[in-house]
Amino acid sequence: MAKNTENIIREKQNSLIKHRAENQSPTDILRSFEGKVNLSWLLPPSFEQRWWHQVRGYRTSPAWHTYYLTPPQVNSILKANEYSFKVPEFDGKNLSSVMGFDSNQLPANAPIEDRRSAATCLQTRGMLYGVFDGHAGCACAQALSERLFYYIAVSLLPHETLMELENAMESGRALHPILQWHKHPNDYFSKEASRLYFSSLRTYWQELLDLSVPGEQPDVAEALVTAFKRLDNDISLEAQVGDPNAFLHYWVLRVAFSGATACVAHIDGNELNVANTGDGRAVLGVQEPDGSFSALTLTNDHNAQNESEVKRVRSEHPQSEAKTVVKQDRLLGLLMPFRAFGDVKFKWSIDLQRRVLESGPDQLHENEHAKFIPPNYHTPPYLTAEPEVTRHRLRPQDRFLVIGSDGLWETLHRQEVVRIVGEHLTGVHQQQPVSVGGYKVTLGQMQGLLQERKARISSTFEDQNAATHLIRHAVGNNEFGLVDHERLSKMLSLPEELARMYRDDITIIIVQFNPHVIGGQ
């Protein structure tokens, strides 16, 4: 039988204490654990004091105690960030291939570094969904969640509509809305930066207007690639130019020096296009004739586990850097994703970095990552925001799409993800033989497993939100694939310093399709 959660936690505490006794720094300790980015400059200024205070607390206490959360308390935590949207019906018939979507987030970092967005393109009626996974802070992911969909929507507009936008601006008329956002009430939008963001967006659509041809319809895949690259370029340019407003100057630098991956889906009728930059993932849940669900992955991870991605990175730099450009499964030995927005430390020349930082506000100099130059930094850029785009024509058997940050896929296999979601959405659990994964179980334990299965069937609709249901499994599953309330309680009550060692932030969007509309089209 696998060790229970409490023993594992105690082992990790002992490991921390041992590291402390050997006089290792917090950076060294973090480096021994798998994090998103392995950098000393990611630590906030107060981290050193808080870390040692916590470790000293472990040494003087006989044991570390978790709080036992009741089921209502667990539900309160899990449901805090859930959001659902149902596509309106017209004349009693749902004319959209999308019935609606569920989304949710569960933080591990404090504050959470993931972001999510969902919106309808009002000019094309296509729907956009995005999950953004930040690192070195949440600033870049926040900017993407506010800006990227506007860049995509504008990229999809025909010449005539772009002309209407520009004419309205020139004459001082109100602009027709470009997006209808579907936001959680707590989703933050930075009002201070909105004028700057709009100015950059207008410059972009003016350039698109000059390049487009009347009567020509933009290609969706090309529009996605162009939008990703242009926004990343604008993030870089805004940081270089700065802003007279001290707050905005600091903000654009924070956005540029932090980073984020992005996984975005555009759905219009039967056409699904997924653009991915980094290690987020989009997986289709396909219902087989026997009612079971299989997974169809629509994205490639851009990291060291992807051999073609490693070859791409190495091919873009001299042979002399073959051993350093990818080191210890990280870009320059530091960054786990091989594609990302922001992260100008991996894109700008050293001279440009120094010039921008010298003219930046004092607050930036207090941030350790601003002073750091990656080792073996000879031929930048080492990082790109260019996405890989996958086209897929939806079929009636394609029942839902799961977009998740890597925090989800690190805890659950894709096939398990679609099984959990598929069973939840259909309300039917596949009655397969109970699998115990090679463990020796007593008759009493087997009876317990069967009772849990029975209880699980009766509580199919405990979570109305499919993303919440999936997070419950991702955090609370035991070795038999069943939600263990005790494990769930302990994982959700971990203090900040420990939570990140067990899992990453988890952000999920689940889009449910209408097979009747898809089949009719």
Side-chain angles (χ1 to χ4, degrees):
M1 185 72 69
K3 295 178 180 177
N4 62 32
T5 305
E6 194 167 347
N7 288 339
I8 297 172
I9 290 172
R10 196 168 287 118
E11 279 186 9
K12 217 131 210 185
Q13 289 174 232
N14 293 336
S15 175
L16 288 172
I17 294 167
K18 181 174 182 294
H19 280 297
R20 177 67 179 103
E22 294 170 354
N23 295 318
Q24 285 186 290
S25 70
T27 306
D28 294 327
I29 295 175
L30 284 186
R31 191 169 284 123
S32 69
F33 298 106
E34 282 296 316
K36 174 65 112 178
V37 185
N38 184 12
L39 297 174
S40 60
W41 43 267
L42 294 185
L43 301 176
S46 62
F47 186 89
E48 195 89 24
Q49 293 84 357
R50 287 194 298 111
W51 181 275
W52 293 140
H53 174 75
Q54 291 291 339
V55 173
R56 282 198 297 270
Y58 295 147
R59 297 187 70 184
T60 56
S61 302
W64 173 73
H65 300 286
T66 54
Y67 294 99
Y68 184 80
L69 303 176
T70 65
Q73 289 172 325
V74 166
N75 286 340
S76 178
I77 293 171
L78 291 179
K79 296 173 183 289
N81 298 309
E82 69 178 10
Y83 178 81
S84 295
F85 177 79
K86 302 302 177 189
V87 174
E89 295 183 349
F90 303 95
D91 302 323
K93 293 183 179 180
N94 192 331
L95 301 180
S96 171
S97 57
V98 174
M99 295 175 66
F101 72 90
D102 294 334
S103 74
N104 203 349
Q105 293 184 295
L106 183 67
N109 294 291
I112 187 171
E113 294 182 342
D114 282 3
R115 293 294 186 273
R116 58 182 165 175
S117 293
T120 301
C121 297
L122 293 175
Q123 303 297 327
T124 66
R125 303 308 305 172
M127 300 192 75
L128 286 165
Y129 304 94
V131 168
F132 312 103
D133 187 350
H135 47 264
C138 61
C140 189
Q142 178 63 42
L144 295 187
S145 71
E146 299 179 39
R147 306 181 68 181
L148 183 56
F149 284 9
Y150 280 114
Y151 279 67
I152 293 171
V154 165
S155 302
L156 291 169
L157 294 179
H159 179 91
E160 293 76 10
T161 309
L162 290 171
M163 184 67 75
E164 290 175 11
L165 278 176
E166 185 56 25
N167 287 340
M169 285 296 298
E170 289 287 348
S171 61
R173 289 183 285 114
L175 295 179
H176 291 298
I178 298 173
L179 295 173
Q180 177 190 351
W181 290 95
H182 310 298
K183 297 186 297 182
H184 186 280
N186 294 338
D187 286 349
Y188 171 73
F189 271 48
S190 53
K191 295 178 181 178
E192 297 88 348
S194 58
R195 185 173 297 178
L196 170 67
Y197 290 171
F198 184 78
S199 175
S200 294
L201 180 68
R202 185 185 179 189
T203 301
Y204 177 43
W205 86 48
Q206 288 172 335
E207 293 180 18
L208 287 173
L209 191 55
D210 292 337
L211 296 171
S212 61
V213 177
E216 188 175 76
Q217 189 65 35
D219 177 80
V220 176
E222 291 178 7
L224 287 166
V225 172
T226 304
F228 271 57
K229 293 169 69 174
R230 177 54 182 248
L231 176 53
D232 191 54
N233 185 71
D234 281 357
I235 287 171
S236 175
L237 188 62
E238 288 160 2
Q240 293 174 51
V241 172
D243 194 279
N245 180 298
F247 172 81
L248 279 182
H249 192 179
Y250 178 51
W251 174 251
V252 296
L253 287 170
R254 277 189 60 198
V255 170
F257 279 91
S258 61
T261 65
C263 187
V264 172
H266 176 266
I267 304 166
D268 191 357
N270 283 13
E271 293 297 324
L272 166 63
N273 285 267
V274 178
N276 187 52
T277 289
D279 48 14
R281 197 177 292 175
V283 174
L284 266 179
V286 182
Q287 190 162 30
E288 302 297 339
D290 65 357
S292 64
F293 289 88
S294 61
L296 176 61
T297 304
L298 299 177
T299 54
N300 295 311
D301 294 346
H302 299 136
N303 55 30
Q305 279 62 57
N306 183 339
E307 291 184 12
S308 64
E309 189 70 3
V310 174
K311 289 179 181 177
R312 177 192 67 80
V313 171
R314 285 184 172 145
S315 71
E316 294 173 355
H317 300 276
Q319 184 62 31
S320 58
E321 296 185 60
K323 292 184 179 179
T324 58
V325 68
V326 177
K327 193 173 181 181
Q328 297 177 335
D329 287 346
R330 296 168 186 260
L331 190 67
L332 295 178
L334 300 173
L335 192 65
M336 190 171 282
F338 287 3
R339 303 191 194 196
F341 284 84
D343 282 321
V344 293
K345 304 292 290 185
F346 297 88
K347 296 173 181 175
W348 290 356
S349 69
I350 292 175
D351 286 343
L352 177 57
Q353 291 185 42
R354 286 174 175 162
R355 249 192 344 265
V356 169
L357 290 172
E358 284 172 4
S359 63
D362 293 337
Q363 301 101 306
L364 198 68
H365 296 283
E366 298 170 7
N367 197 326
E368 285 299 313
H369 80 261
K371 306 172 187 176
F372 184 84
I373 301 294
N376 303 300
Y377 196 80
H378 307 298
T379 55
Y382 288 90
L383 191 65
T384 179
E386 181 171 348
E388 273 190 299
V389 179
T390 303
R391 296 177 186 259
H392 178 80
R393 187 160 184 82
L394 291 172
R395 308 158 297 176
Q397 62 265 38
D398 298 330
R399 303 308 295 269
F400 56 87
L401 176 70
V402 180
I403 310 171
S405 57
D406 65 340
L408 169 66
W409 310 108
E410 288 170 355
T411 57
L412 289 174
H413 187 271
R414 59 180 183 171
Q415 185 56 47
E416 187 71 357
V417 166
V418 299
R419 182 192 66 78
I420 292 167
V421 174
E423 291 178 357
H424 179 74
L425 291 177
T426 60
V428 177
H429 291 270
Q430 301 303 313
Q431 292 301 302
Q432 299 170 349
V434 174
S435 170
V436 295
Y439 293 101
K440 292 181 180 179
V441 295
T442 65
L443 287 174
Q445 289 168 334
M446 179 61 76
Q447 182 183 12
L449 286 172
L450 293 172
Q451 287 174 341
E452 281 192 61
R453 165 176 278 187
K454 184 178 180 181
R456 191 163 58 118
I457 293 170
S458 65
S459 63
T460 300
F461 299 104
E462 178 183 353
D463 293 312
Q464 296 299 314
N465 184 298
T468 304
H469 184 72
L470 187 53
I471 289 177
R472 189 184 299 274
H473 277 267
V475 178
N477 265 14
N478 60 19
E479 58 268 31
F480 303 115
L482 303 173
V483 175
D484 181 336
H485 176 75
E486 184 178 355
R487 173 182 172 82
L488 191 57
S489 172
K490 289 179 178 179
M491 292 297 286
L492 293 179
S493 62
L494 287 170
E496 292 175 11
E497 287 77 4
L498 282 177
R500 185 60 185 85
M501 296 178 185
Y502 287 88
R503 59 175 178 82
D504 198 355
D505 297 328
I506 298 175
T507 299
I508 300 169
I509 297 177
I510 298 173
V511 184
Q512 191 173 0
F513 300 121
N514 189 327
H516 304 294
V517 171
I518 291 172
Q521 292 179 347

